[in-house]
Amino acid sequence: MPRPKPARRPDQPQRPHRVAVIAPSPVSMFNLAIPEMLFGKVEVAGGPGYEVVVCTPQPGPVATTGGLSLHVEHGLDALREADTLLVAGTGHRYEPDPRTVAAVREAADAGRRIASICSGAFVLAEAGLLDGRSATTYWELADELRSRYPALDLKGDVLYVEDGQVMTSSGYAAGIDLCLHIIRTDYGAAVANEVARAALVAPVRPGGQTQFTQTPLPPERGNACADTRGWAMRHLDEPLTLTDLARQAGVSVRTLTRRFHAESGVSPLQWLLHQRIERAKELLETTSLAMDQVAQACGLGTADSLRGHLVRRTGLTPSAYRAQFSRLGTLGTHGARNTSIAA
């Protein structure tokens, strides 16, 4: 199978990256809205970073899971011009349309990047794209996906999985995480985090984070650790410990850990490491700081530590990451980015 096209540099004067979103019938309106909401907020050098088109096997009215009908203008021929295909889901089991399956398989053979949200993974599996790959889907459908397609390696308790040119995500809000991950892959952490802020959603979360199944809500409306997280973000350059976080929150380490996991799906230190790496990415993209300075500014200590964490997370060394995603060429005279997020 051909390798996917490499992510293009943000400063390259090319056409917008084309994303074709395939709508099954019935389609989840939430699934369908996510790509447009997030990809539509990316601008590069004053122009759109993405073009999003929605298509379906039979153009015209498409039923939704909410009982409404949407008019979809484009058929599957729109896939021929797409760089990335994203199969939306229905939120429940359904039989993939053979026309969609064939079109997705053809696009994969041509080296396109293929992604799915929720039950869209069944289309990818039916097309044979998940054989021998790691993948996920909405947790309520995980057992069925595993039993119907035993050749795939199901990761039933994560938000999203990337395996080569194929990406799959769990249901509902996990589609947001997947799209932010795609934006980060194409344009870097700084742009993805700005899109998240503009859309009023959580910053990019690691794909291995759990799907929060059967996780109780914390007592303080789900925000018990919000102040502590904000405080930690302002002190990432310091050697924070669990004791430091618990002291700031005014609770025991055990209570902090329990509340933190209930809200974030990960332990406090896992969350802290993720934020340090994200800060390091932003500094590599937007500054010319030396590697030791970047490591110290984000709390990773040394350039060797920075290198180890970044290679494990991205597969790139700090210098390679900077070479691929540096935005210094698009900064104005006062440091304002020409790459911006549409309001």
Side-chain angles (χ1 to χ4, degrees):
M1 181 176 292
R3 294 178 60 85
K5 297 178 182 178
R8 60 189 173 92
R9 287 277 300 275
D11 55 350
Q12 288 179 320
Q14 298 182 10
R15 62 167 175 77
H17 186 104
R18 290 172 178 160
V19 179
V21 183
I22 303 175
S25 182
V27 67
S28 162
M29 291 190 292
F30 185 64
N31 276 198
L32 209 54
I34 290 170
E36 179 63 34
M37 176 182 71
L38 297 178
F39 295 135
K41 291 186 179 297
V42 178
E43 291 185 359
V44 180
Y50 293 94
E51 258 178 27
V52 180
V53 60
V54 177
C55 58
T56 192
Q58 184 64 46
V62 174
T64 72
T65 54
L68 302 178
S69 180
L70 298 176
H71 181 83
V72 178
E73 180 178 346
H74 300 283
L76 295 178
D77 54 347
L79 303 184
R80 299 191 186 100
E81 300 298 322
D83 303 300
T84 296
L85 277 63
L86 196 159
V87 184
T90 64
H92 53 77
R93 78 176 299 276
Y94 75 108
E95 293 299 325
D97 188 300
R99 295 169 293 180
T100 300
V101 172
V104 168
R105 185 184 298 118
E106 179 182 348
D109 289 343
R112 305 288 194 271
R113 179 169 59 188
I114 313 292
S116 67
I117 299 176
C118 192
S119 58
F122 283 79
V123 173
L124 275 56
E126 187 68 21
L129 304 187
L130 301 185
D131 291 354
R133 295 184 188 271
S134 297
T136 193
T137 189
Y138 184 41
W139 64 273
E140 287 189 341
L141 303 173
D143 288 341
E144 181 174 355
L145 184 67
R146 182 188 289 112
S147 63
R148 286 177 61 176
Y149 305 100
L152 63 83
D153 177 18
L154 183 70
K155 307 296 184 183
D157 60 349
V158 299
L159 292 175
Y160 59 87
V161 176
E162 178 177 10
D163 191 334
Q165 76 186 100
V166 179
M167 303 179 183
T168 52
S169 76
S170 177
Y172 301 104
I176 295 175
D177 297 296
L178 176 67
C179 289
L180 287 174
H181 173 69
I182 290 173
I183 294 170
R184 180 176 61 186
T185 299
D186 292 341
Y187 294 105
V191 173
N193 288 339
E194 287 182 11
V195 169
R197 285 192 290 270
L200 301 180
V201 297
V204 181
R205 296 186 289 178
Q209 189 164 319
T210 63
Q211 293 182 20
F212 311 118
T213 56
Q214 301 179 349
T215 301
L217 291 175
E220 291 84 6
R221 300 180 182 178
N223 292 312
C225 299
D227 289 343
T228 302
R229 288 194 296 269
W231 177 83
M233 291 295 291
R234 295 190 295 273
H235 294 81
L236 285 181
D237 59 332
E238 300 175 15
L240 302 178
T241 65
L242 268 177
T243 301
D244 294 329
L245 295 172
R247 183 184 300 115
Q248 198 282 331
V251 298
S252 68
V253 168
R254 182 175 180 178
T255 297
L256 174 77
T257 301
R258 174 176 56 81
R259 290 179 178 177
F260 216 98
H261 198 283
E263 292 183 19
S264 304
V266 293
S267 73
L269 293 183
Q270 287 174 319
W271 177 88
L272 188 60
L273 177 60
H274 178 72
Q275 300 306 324
R276 293 190 192 283
I277 295 172
E278 290 301 302
R279 177 67 58 83
K281 290 178 181 178
E282 291 200 32
L283 292 174
L284 289 170
E285 295 170 27
T286 60
T287 76
S288 57
L289 291 173
M291 297 307 169
D292 277 327
Q293 292 175 301
V294 171
Q296 292 167 11
C298 64
L300 290 175
T302 66
D304 285 342
S305 176
L306 169 65
R307 178 187 176 91
H309 285 297
L310 199 66
V311 167
R312 281 191 292 273
R313 182 63 60 83
T314 70
L316 298 173
T317 64
S319 58
Y321 186 90
R322 173 172 276 169
Q324 183 167 347
F325 293 113
S326 174
R327 309 199 63 75
L328 291 180
T330 62
L331 296 179
T333 56
H334 299 289
R337 291 186 185 87
N338 290 330
T339 298
S340 59
I341 306 302

